[in-house]
Amino acid sequence: MVTQDKKINELWELIKEVPDPEIPVLTLTDLGIVREITMSDEKVEVTITPTYTGCPAMKVFEEDITAKLNESGYKQVSIKTSLSPAWSTDWMSEEGKEKLMKYGISPPMGSSDKSVLTGIVKNVPCPQCKSTKTELVSQFGSTPCKALYQCSDCKEPFDYFKCI
Amino acid sequence: MDNAIYNYALRMGDTCLILSHRLAERCSNGPFLEEDIAMTNISLDLLGGADLFLSLAAEVEGEGRSADDLAYRRNERQYYNHLLAERPNKNFAHVMMRQFLHDALLHPLYTGLKLSKNEHLAGIAEKGVKESAYHIRHSSMWIVRLGKGTDDSKEKLQDALDDLWTYTGEMFEYNDEEATLAKDGVIPSFEELKTTWLKTVKEVFNEAGLEVPKDKWMATGGRQGVHSEFLGHMIAEMQYLPRAYPDAKW
């Protein structure tokens, strides 16, 4: 069992290095989409939960995880998708949120329940000048997970990773 | 196989798929860039929902078919989507009205389905409810904005409502199989959904200054696979590639 646990830890370490295909500054574990890793004999099963149901990145996630583990000698990898509990931006790591801000995407603010209800998030900070005088331009952005904002001070448009 | 779940998942999946495709047809025709992106985002969410429902149907069927097989290898008479979803795109007001009438149902439907005793349906709804909350906010915002806009935008919107209202009756039809599912807590009750839906649409139309059409004859048939002339053309285009190149992988 000890070796088994050790292997599972190693698998988590490997998956930590897999970047998000759309926002490469984040890893899959920063996003919090990897739910479980199990192993029996030589077979590895990784359970992930989709961010958005139609997100085209999901297929790439699966391929990238499989490729990464294959490279490291785990040849029998299967990916299981689990819908419940549904992924929430609350699962994103603090480290992940900091990385997003530096990358130029304003990270999700507050807890997902409240902002999903009202949809309007105030005082989203501008990742460029840090001003909180910003305005929502569109609820929908360049990928399913983002909304489009504009800074009223530096006028720069920017993405906000919306709460879900 | 559980026929009732199979049929329900197929109907839900088909409506999501067909409406998703209609929105996708609008890609690059939005009134401005952000709105173009919004519509294609919503299209993508609906496609994701269709994939989940059709995957469930395929799994329940147990014949080795996939969600793709169900989407690309059935003819129009084997599609069970609501007629509303297949109505062709006319103008932006018309597209938004079709979307709003649909969103006002899908959001409460997912809210109810989250509590389903079927864990697969509950899982799909738990995911969908968060996405559909964004959709209903988006389309109701447009209904109010266009309704309070210019004479032209209001007229186009009212025309769209008068045109599409007749396709809303079918969304609340149900058969014995579905009545049993609702009674057993597997799916939300159609009557309760209708009450919620009516309340939402009347509130928004009132704010937008639109007149709700008087109850009139309601079109029906989609749920039985009897469609308007528009569905066949859409499916022909949608299915062309996998039909022409059955072994294609992408």
Side-chain angles (χ1 to χ4, degrees):
Chain A
M1 269 323 278
V2 176
T3 49
Q4 190 83 339
D5 283 353
K6 225 174 142 185
K7 273 191 177 169
I8 300 257
N9 282 339
E10 188 188 304
L11 288 164
W12 275 104
E13 289 301 317
L14 286 169
I15 285 180
K16 264 188 194 164
E17 294 164 22
V18 180
D20 176 310
E22 298 258 14
I23 312 169
V25 67
L26 290 183
T27 66
L28 299 187
T29 44
D30 286 331
L31 270 175
I33 66 155
V34 183
R35 304 309 299 161
E36 198 183 13
I37 303 173
T38 55
M39 221 184 145
S40 67
D41 300 327
E42 292 304 304
K43 288 180 195 147
V44 180
E45 188 177 78
V46 182
T47 306
I48 60 172
T49 183
T51 48
Y52 281 76
T53 50
C55 186
M58 289 311 295
K59 269 274 170 267
V60 186
F61 286 159
E62 294 179 19
E63 285 165 14
D64 289 354
I65 291 173
T66 310
K68 179 81 194 177
L69 298 186
N70 284 351
E71 260 172 43
S72 310
Y74 296 96
K75 294 296 175 200
Q76 297 184 61
V77 178
S78 63
I79 312 281
K80 201 175 113 189
T81 305
S82 159
L83 292 175
S84 180
W87 181 79
S88 158
T89 38
D90 297 347
W91 298 355
M92 192 186 286
S93 68
E94 286 307 313
E95 198 190 337
K97 289 180 185 173
E98 278 166 33
K99 285 195 226 167
L100 270 182
M101 193 69 169
K102 278 190 196 137
Y103 188 62
I105 298 172
S106 209
M109 285 178 47
S111 80
S112 67
D113 286 353
K114 278 187 195 154
S115 48
V116 168
L117 215 62
T118 62
I120 295 158
V121 189
K122 289 197 174 134
N123 306 327
V124 170
C126 165
Q128 304 303 329
C129 74
K130 314 293 181 240
S131 164
T132 49
K133 275 166 69 190
T134 55
E135 275 176 55
L136 174 71
V137 178
S138 173
Q139 294 272 9
F140 299 91
S142 55
T143 64
C145 56
K146 288 177 274 180
L148 192 62
Y149 275 73
Q150 187 176 19
C151 178
S152 308
D153 280 332
C154 75
K155 308 293 178 205
E156 193 73 9
F158 65 92
D159 278 329
Y160 165 64
F161 202 111
K162 60 192 176 194
C163 277
I164 192 167
Chain B
M1 135 173 145
D2 189 336
N3 278 312
I5 298 287
Y6 173 76
N7 290 331
Y8 185 77
L10 211 52
R11 287 200 172 103
M12 288 295 303
D14 285 352
T15 296
C16 288
L17 177 62
I18 297 302
L19 188 59
S20 163
H21 199 83
R22 278 287 182 239
L23 284 178
E25 288 173 351
R26 288 278 309 181
C27 183
S28 83
N29 290 291
F32 50 88
L33 185 60
E34 288 81 6
E35 186 47 40
D36 202 62
I37 292 170
M39 273 195 289
T40 40
N41 259 278
I42 295 166
S43 171
L44 191 61
D45 286 343
L46 287 170
L47 189 63
D51 184 33
L52 295 177
F53 280 117
L54 294 181
S55 297
L56 174 61
E59 196 186 313
V60 171
E61 183 189 44
E63 302 274 336
R65 289 206 284 182
S66 67
D68 277 355
D69 292 332
L70 288 174
Y72 296 127
R73 302 288 154 86
R74 282 181 299 149
N75 295 328
E76 65 200 271
R77 288 299 294 265
Q78 295 159 318
Y79 262 84
Y80 303 105
N81 58 283
H82 293 148
L83 295 173
L84 179 72
E86 71 199 49
R87 298 312 295 166
N89 299 324
K90 270 189 182 169
N91 51 46
F92 182 68
H94 198 270
V95 169
M96 271 308 135
M97 181 57 77
R98 184 184 63 205
Q99 196 59 35
F100 171 65
L101 293 170
H102 171 85
D103 293 344
L105 170 63
L106 195 62
H107 186 59
L109 191 151
Y110 275 145
T111 308
L113 198 60
K114 253 174 79 175
L115 309 170
S116 172
K117 291 203 174 131
N118 179 300
E119 59 171 334
H120 294 286
L121 289 174
I124 295 174
E126 196 182 331
K127 199 74 218 138
V129 74
K130 293 182 174 196
E131 297 172 5
S132 62
Y134 279 94
H135 302 172
I136 180 71
R137 257 200 314 274
H138 172 256
S139 56
S140 50
M141 177 276 285
W142 271 113
I143 298 299
V144 174
R145 187 167 165 186
L146 294 173
K148 288 184 172 170
T150 61
D151 289 347
D152 190 35
S153 72
K154 187 174 177 180
E155 191 188 327
K156 283 186 172 144
L157 196 64
Q158 183 69 54
D159 282 352
L161 176 55
D162 295 345
D163 181 33
L164 294 171
W165 188 252
T166 187
Y167 300 102
T168 58
E170 189 194 30
M171 304 196 297
F172 305 99
E173 284 176 12
Y174 59 94
N175 56 24
D176 293 348
E177 205 174 71
E178 286 159 320
T180 309
L181 286 181
K183 198 163 90 13
D184 295 344
V186 178
I187 61 171
S189 135
F190 284 77
E191 273 115 17
E192 282 170 30
L193 282 177
K194 188 173 183 178
T195 311
T196 312
W197 178 84
L198 260 180
K199 187 168 168 280
T200 309
V201 299
K202 282 188 174 163
E203 265 172 27
V204 173
F205 291 155
N206 195 27
E207 198 186 335
L210 297 180
E211 245 175 78
V212 181
K214 298 241 173 336
D215 276 336
K216 53 177 182 181
W217 178 79
M218 289 287 180
T220 182
R223 285 168 41 89
Q224 279 78 44
V226 182
H227 294 278
S228 64
E229 66 271 36
F230 303 108
L231 186 69
H233 294 282
M234 179 210 269
I235 287 186
E237 196 177 309
M238 186 177 87
Q239 295 183 337
Y240 170 76
L241 191 79
R243 295 268 198 194
Y245 304 96
D247 303 320
K249 292 258 182 290
W250 64 86

